[in-house]
Amino acid sequence: MIPQANPRASGFGLLALVLALLVPVTLLAIWFGLTLGGGAEAQTLADPGAVVRWGLPVLKGLLNLSMATAIGALALACYASAEGSAGFVRLRNLATAAASVWAVTGIGVLVFTYLSVTGQGISASDSFGAGLWLFATDISLGQAISWNLAIAALVAVLSAVVQRLTRAIFVAALAIGGLVPLALSGHAAGTTGHGMAVNALGLHLAGISLWVGGLVALLVAAPVLGDQIDKWLARYSQLALVAFLLVATSGVAAATLRLNNLNELFTTGYGQLVALKSLTLLLLGAAGAWLRLRVVGAARALPKLLLVELALMALATGLATALARTEPPKLSDLPASPTPAQILTGELLPAPLTPERWFTAGKLDLIWASVVVLAVGFYLVGVIKLHRRGDKWPVIRTVSWLGGMAMLAYITNGAINVYEPYLFSVHMIGHMMLTMGVATLLVPGAPVTLLLRTIAKRHDASMGLREWVLWAVHTPWARFVSHPIVAAINFASSLVVFYFTDLFAFATREHVGHEWMVLHFLMTGYLFVQSLIGVDPGPKTVAYPIRLMILIGTLAFHAFFGLALMQDGGLILADWFGAMGRTWGETPMADQKTGGAIAWGIGELPAAVITLIVSIQWAKADGRETKRLDRASDRRGNQDLEEYNKMLARLAERHK
């Protein structure tokens, strides 16, 4: 039974207590961090003054707290609450208030950042307004802050009116999307290690937001939860565990980029802040685990104990805000005379691609590495859970899933990730492996089926992972894009749309574009293969002969695309591949023709595997249908066979 207590009752006092603890501790940590790291010291050129130097970190700290609260409230509402319950209403109201503060502080951050960059004071002159507008609309840093501000305002409006969980999930996704501009504008934007820095900061912000914001949301919702509080705590703990893993992994990656050696953890202000923040997060993780093991069931003591955890979170948030304003010891700016490759990619041109480099070269993509680790971990946990309760799960499915994840890890973190910015042929290998190779291995793994068999159904009208996955695969949009014909059209047309429009340039030059490209190719391939051989729940499939026709037609389109690349006399993205300054390997034009040949021929092996699987499924389906008809005939005493024989006899009589 879900408590339907008045959502306005007895919560404002606790919220005031949360704010009274959260804000001062955060501000104190910011002051300490800026003092230790020197982030608020006067600038040598165009110093904006003490008000801006100290005010900007404070505003950023408040923005981070309010943003995290909005994200955490929406995420917890979607994962723990029942639609229309007192808890859902309270978290929706909290998200609205937090997003409103997020938007207001975003305005302050925009203005103070402009003052910090230009070194001028606030003025009522037209030139000041014009300069601020130019900064917000034309300068990348100002654009990032403006996008974050706009998303905050939109989240505040939508949170106030959303009534259903299936709508709230989109508002939560939008709020998380507000982290992207901040990640793109963090340390080392546009310099060596930019991709790694963006990924690390993005994952760090996402983890902190779920962790801190979710805890604030849990405390605010606690007074109306009644005997549901233990259940909510367990659900928050699941989110917090994933968040902790993201924060720890991304924190290590970010520190590696910014520190030259471990000694700088103790000898530089930046390193000392990193060490203090890391220690705080470790204490926070240990405290959270201890509280959940010891306090579940003690509902009265829980809010007070969670406040202790919240104080540690506030301390870590303040240190992180100060860290963002502190200059790291390891600067990665481009040299005075960068090479063409450094100008275009921000990285040094790699060594020539030799056979052994296919196995030894690598460049970490933290987002996809995290996806692979989490996907493999959750899958194996599901398999182990099935075996422990005596259920069987085919070994071939597990092997197929692990093989697909290994291939995905290699494409996104191995030699392909190193060389695809410089060689079109390597890029095409990665594309074809994503759309055909990875998908052909992942689909037989049947992850949705495994999830449905291992995660228990909820009975309190809330939506957990099981319910959200079922909802997602049965939405009208999912049924449409998963239909075999639509999936085939999307799979084939993506080649032309991507490579012969500005999308290819966007995916090549921009880090966000690159990550989108990997996701798009992976999903289009997965949907296409799933429509042909998938066993997971989905839309009604077409007949087996039509599946084979779709497969043959799609592969023929790939062949025509490959031939078009081989015969094209112009270089695709000439100002990139043709201007890289690469002296080893094939010429850019010859390399493009090699890429066309790869697009033509590399899909043959996965296609043969898919054809074999479709044929086996067809034969099994025919066998099942034959057995069904035989059983039906036996139940009727072979009446249909006797009628068939009589019909043949009548035909024979007519032709005598």
Side-chain angles (χ1 to χ4, degrees), residues 457-469:
K457 180 181 179 181
R458 290 189 180 182
H459 299 283
D460 60 354
S462 65
M463 295 182 68
L465 182 59
R466 187 182 195 275
E467 288 74 20
W468 280 118
V469 169

Side-chain angles (χ1 to χ4, degrees), residues 196 199-211 239-257 274 277-286 316 323 364 366 370 373-374:
M196 182 69 163
N199 287 352
L201 182 55
L203 291 177
H204 205 73
L205 289 172
I208 287 292
S209 296
L210 289 175
W211 199 1
L239 295 177
L241 175 60
V242 176
F244 176 77
L245 295 175
L246 292 178
V247 169
T249 303
S250 59
V252 171
T256 302
L257 285 173
V274 169
K277 179 189 169 188
S278 300
L279 178 62
T280 303
L281 291 176
L282 288 175
L283 290 174
L284 183 56
L323 193 63
L364 180 66
L366 197 58
S370 301
V373 170
L374 291 175

Side-chain angles (χ1 to χ4, degrees), residues 163-381:
Q163 300 290 334
R164 303 185 60 183
L165 285 173
T166 52
R167 303 293 183 268
I169 191 70
F170 292 105
V171 184
L174 176 64
I176 294 175
L179 300 175
V180 175
L182 298 183
L184 291 172
S185 62
H187 272 311
T191 61
T192 302
H194 169 62
M196 182 69 163
V198 169
N199 287 352
L201 182 55
L203 291 177
H204 205 73
L205 289 172
I208 287 292
S209 296
L210 289 175
W211 199 1
V212 177
L215 183 60
V216 174
L218 180 63
L219 281 165
V220 172
V224 298
L225 296 181
D227 57 3
Q228 296 285 313
I229 192 167
D230 288 341
K231 188 179 294 184
W232 275 59
L233 178 62
R235 291 170 183 174
Y236 165 71
S237 297
Q238 294 169 2
L239 295 177
L241 175 60
V242 176
F244 176 77
L245 295 175
L246 292 178
V247 169
T249 303
S250 59
V252 171
T256 302
L257 285 173
R258 301 290 160 256
L259 297 174
N260 294 292
N261 51 63
L262 290 178
N263 290 334
E264 290 180 341
L265 281 173
F266 311 101
T267 59
T268 65
Y270 186 91
Q272 290 166 358
L273 283 177
V274 169
L276 286 173
K277 179 189 169 188
S278 300
L279 178 62
T280 303
L281 291 176
L282 288 175
L283 290 174
L284 183 56
W290 184 85
L291 287 174
R292 281 141 187 76
L293 291 173
R294 297 295 184 90
V295 184
V296 171
R300 291 184 178 180
L302 183 61
K304 295 180 181 179
L305 292 172
L306 289 180
L307 286 173
V308 176
E309 189 176 348
L310 190 63
L312 289 173
M313 287 184 173
L315 179 61
T317 301
L319 292 174
T321 302
L323 193 63
R325 294 287 298 173
T326 304
E327 185 176 288
K330 184 178 179 180
L331 297 177
S332 51
D333 293 331
L334 293 176
S337 300
T339 64
Q342 286 179 301
I343 294 173
L344 291 172
T345 68
E347 308 281 350
L348 289 171
L349 189 70
L353 180 56
T354 57
E356 61 270 17
R357 293 281 294 171
W358 283 102
F359 303 99
T360 59
K363 183 172 71 173
L364 180 66
D365 186 316
L366 197 58
I367 288 180
W368 289 104
S370 301
V371 168
V372 169
V373 170
L374 291 175
V376 169
F378 285 133
Y379 193 95
L380 292 178
V381 168

